[in-house]
């Protein structure tokens, strides 16, 4: 079953997406997400110039062989651009295989390990009162797990706080905005937010929070400790994780569960975090960590160390990635939770899909393959628009982690 066509589709229905569409000689096709927020065209070019010529004529059934060919064959390994490109190929090939066999993808991954996939949504507000209202809204929608973020007194803007409504979209058109940051103000404030949320919503609701890589290990330790009374489901990205051993310090100080990994590209980025049990949830996702094939290997390592999965699922991960994530989540034994940020309506129109949300859980659906399509003529009506994630500085002007 030879690959006869490979098309890289760049579109911007609400935000930018890069999608790979592979077609085989018998007309079957598959989709893979290759979106890298703020650096989209690097992956599109990597695919078009360097990967597509290698795929034509190759046997679409040999998923693992093609993965290894693209990974080892490039000589230059890992990195977000390379791995997003490999992920897209891998996901599209799994889609083709499952469609050809006439089964939803999760059936090829060992079948369902559970009946549904627990997801969490993003609630945010400019201050505590607004955040309480936003969480209440998500509760009304049926969510059982909610990530809560709030504006911090004395800071004009912070990560995770939307400009109103249900949609949080951090990427902005043109040159990136610069935010100002104070870890001191943030650390003083966040425990107040969760004290209020726990009082308001009782013990059963799962509450999560994303520190978005902004704290030192000892600051993260303090935050984790002060949040212990409010029993978070997790504290995400408390500190940048290039240096995995820095999480030892956080771990020594707090029982608040820790989740890390949305920017990781391979198992080598989280090997120490997992093997030393420095985290509770690994957040690697299909599009940025080598596709379904590699994500399963990460999950298998994590399973041995009682680390569960909690894949990234923000709006910059396309419906093709979301669908792939749901098949993975349904099948893998050590699943924990899945992030789910609703896409803009125009994104959903460009990518019709079979996955559904009900009462805080999601279902990939039983369409063969991923259960996601792309309307190419509609996609063409939304051309690429350069956009960047914000840049962060401390109050004295020093560049900080965003
Ligand atoms: O900032 O996806 O947990 N979710 C996140 C996201 C990321 C964006 C970056 O592209 O941290 O909002
Ligand atoms: Co995050």
């Amino acid at each position: 079953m030879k690959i006869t066509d490979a098309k890289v589709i760049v579109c911007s229905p609400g935000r930018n997406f890069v999608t790979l569409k592979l077609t085989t000689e018998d007309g079957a096709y598959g989709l893979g997400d290759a979106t890298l927020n703020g650096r989209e065209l690097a992956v599109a070019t990597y695919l078009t110039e360097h990967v597509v010529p290698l795929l034509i004529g190759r046997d679409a059934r040999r998923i693992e062989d093609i993965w290894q060919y693209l990974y080892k064959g490039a000589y230059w390994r890992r990195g977000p651009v390379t791995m997003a490109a490999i992920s897209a190929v891998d996901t599209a090939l799994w889609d083709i295989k499952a469609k050809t066999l006439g089964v939803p993808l999760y059936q090829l991954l060992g079948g369902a390990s559970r009946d549904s996939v627990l997801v969490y949504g993003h609630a945010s507000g400019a201050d505590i009162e607004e955040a309480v209202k936003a969480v209440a809204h998500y509760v009304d929608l049926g969510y059982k797990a909610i990530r809560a973020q709030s504006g911090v007194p004395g800071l004009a803007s912070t990560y995770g706080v939307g400009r109103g409504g249900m949609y949080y979209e951090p990427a902005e058109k043109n040159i990136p905005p610069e935010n100002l940051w104070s870890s001191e103000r943030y650390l003083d404030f966040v425990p107040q937010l969760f004290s209020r949320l726990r009082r308001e919503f009782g013990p059963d609701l799962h509450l999560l929070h994303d520190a978005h890589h902004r704290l030192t290990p000892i600051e993260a330790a303090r935050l984790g400790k002060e949040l212990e009374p409010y029993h978070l489901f997790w504290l995400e990205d408390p500190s940048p994780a290039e240096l995995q051993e820095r999480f030892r310090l956080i771990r020594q100080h707090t029982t608040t569960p820790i989740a890390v990994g949305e920017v990781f590209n391979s198992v080598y980025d989280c090997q120490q975090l997992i093997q030393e049990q420095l985290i509770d949830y690994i957040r690697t996702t299909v599009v940025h960590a080598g596709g379904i094939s590699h994500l399963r290997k990460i999950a298998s390592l994590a399973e041995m160390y009682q680390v569960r999965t909690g894949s990234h699922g923000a709006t910059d991960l396309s419906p093709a990635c979301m669908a792939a994530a749901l098949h993975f989540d349904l099948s893998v034994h050590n699943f924990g939770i899945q992030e789910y940020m609703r896409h803009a309506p125009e994104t959903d129109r460009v990518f019709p899909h079979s996955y559904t949300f009900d009462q805080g859980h999601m279902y990939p659906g039983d369409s063969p393959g991923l259960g996601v399509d792309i309307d190419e003529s509609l996609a063409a009506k939304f051309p690429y628009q350069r956009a960047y994630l914000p840049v962060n500085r401390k109050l004295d002007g020093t560049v900080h982690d965003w």
Side-chain angles (χ1 to χ4, degrees):
M1 193 203 283
K2 285 199 171 98
I3 299 171
T4 50
D5 190 42
K7 198 171 182 181
V8 180
I9 303 161
V10 179
C11 61
S12 194
R15 65 161 357 279
N16 291 320
F17 294 110
V18 179
T19 309
L20 178 69
K21 179 174 180 177
L22 297 182
T23 308
T24 65
E25 56 190 338
D26 52 8
Y29 67 89
L31 299 180
D33 182 20
T35 309
L36 185 61
N37 203 357
R39 297 294 187 271
E40 294 88 356
L41 298 187
V43 189
T45 307
Y46 188 104
L47 281 167
T48 310
E49 297 295 328
H50 306 297
V51 174
V52 167
L54 304 175
L55 292 177
I56 307 301
R58 219 162 270 284
D59 185 346
R61 294 171 300 190
R62 298 182 62 174
I63 301 176
E64 181 68 18
D65 181 70
I66 291 176
W67 196 99
Q68 299 295 346
Y69 179 89
L70 293 175
Y71 183 83
K72 293 184 191 288
Y75 185 63
W76 309 107
R77 295 175 189 213
R78 302 162 58 184
V81 176
T82 299
M83 296 306 279
I86 294 177
S87 299
V89 175
D90 183 81
T91 308
L93 292 175
W94 277 108
D95 191 17
I96 289 171
K97 192 181 282 285
K99 276 181 177 171
T100 307
L101 296 171
V103 293
L105 176 59
Y106 69 84
Q107 293 293 5
L108 297 187
L109 306 178
S113 284
R114 54 194 53 77
D115 301 327
S116 61
V117 173
L118 176 68
V119 298
Y120 71 92
H122 284 206
S124 70
D127 55 28
I128 291 185
E129 292 314 310
E130 294 298 314
V132 168
K133 278 189 214 150
V135 171
H137 181 53
Y138 274 82
V139 170
D140 289 345
L141 291 169
Y143 283 85
K144 309 292 180 238
I146 300 168
R147 189 189 89 162
Q149 310 285 138
S150 164
V152 176
L155 295 180
S157 60
T158 188
Y159 167 77
V161 181
R163 282 176 286 258
M166 289 278 295
Y167 301 104
Y168 170 63
E169 180 53 73
E172 297 205 28
K173 307 261 153 41
N174 302 316
I175 297 303
E178 296 195 0
N179 299 342
L180 282 181
W181 176 250
S182 160
S183 293
E184 292 79 4
R185 289 177 192 174
Y186 170 80
L187 286 168
D188 282 342
F189 173 73
V190 176
Q192 299 171 44
L193 169 68
F194 282 92
S195 156
R196 177 68 196 280
L197 290 173
R198 227 0 128 208
R199 258 205 328 276
E200 201 77 36
F201 295 98
D204 291 341
L205 184 66
H206 294 309
L207 291 171
L208 301 83
H209 182 70
D210 191 347
H212 221 259
H213 323 266
R214 293 175 176 204
L215 305 174
T216 65
I218 202 68
E219 288 168 346
R222 168 182 155 191
L223 182 61
K225 212 167 172 174
E226 291 184 8
L227 290 174
E228 279 170 22
Y230 316 119
H231 295 152
L232 264 59
F233 187 95
W234 79 35
L235 173 61
E236 175 177 335
D237 288 332
S239 203
E242 288 97 328
L243 185 66
Q244 296 178 48
E245 67 195 42
R246 65 163 52 193
F247 280 75
R248 287 181 188 150
L249 187 73
I250 304 173
R251 211 52 168 171
Q252 282 158 15
H253 286 282
T254 180
T255 57
T256 294
I258 305 292
V260 175
E262 66 183 50
V263 301
F264 293 168
N265 312 126
S266 90
V267 71
Y268 302 107
D269 294 327
C270 47
Q271 186 186 359
Q272 187 179 8
L273 289 172
I274 290 171
Q275 290 182 323
E276 288 189 30
Q277 296 176 294
L278 301 178
I279 56 174
D280 301 278
Y281 296 91
I282 179 68
R283 284 182 40 73
T284 42
T285 191
V286 172
V287 55
H288 297 133
I292 288 160
S293 298
H294 196 69
L295 205 58
R296 291 178 83 204
K297 293 179 187 181
I298 295 174
S300 296
L301 178 70
E303 185 182 350
M304 291 171 62
Y305 295 93
Q306 293 178 305
V307 173
R308 293 192 285 162
T309 68
S311 288
H312 191 202
T315 44
D316 48 298
L317 284 59
S318 90
C321 178
M322 190 66 212
L326 291 171
H327 288 279
F328 168 83
D329 297 337
L330 196 66
S331 65
V332 74
H333 173 70
N334 54 324
F335 166 76
I337 199 167
Q338 169 69 48
E339 183 178 22
Y340 173 52
M341 277 175 82
R342 286 161 192 263
H343 286 111
E346 56 268 44
T347 302
D348 286 338
R349 282 204 303 278
V350 167
F351 297 95
H353 50 259
S354 66
Y355 60 75
T356 50
F357 171 91
D358 184 44
Q359 293 303 310
H361 293 77
M362 288 182 78
Y363 304 82
D366 276 321
S367 309
L370 288 175
V372 176
D373 211 337
I374 184 164
D375 181 337
E376 290 183 62
S377 51
L378 187 58
K381 295 193 175 125
F382 297 99
Y384 169 77
Q385 289 187 284
R386 178 175 295 125
Y388 290 96
L389 289 168
V391 171
N392 206 22
R393 290 184 189 273
K394 292 196 221 177
L395 296 181
D396 72 354
T398 311
V399 171
H400 193 60
D401 304 86
W402 175 71

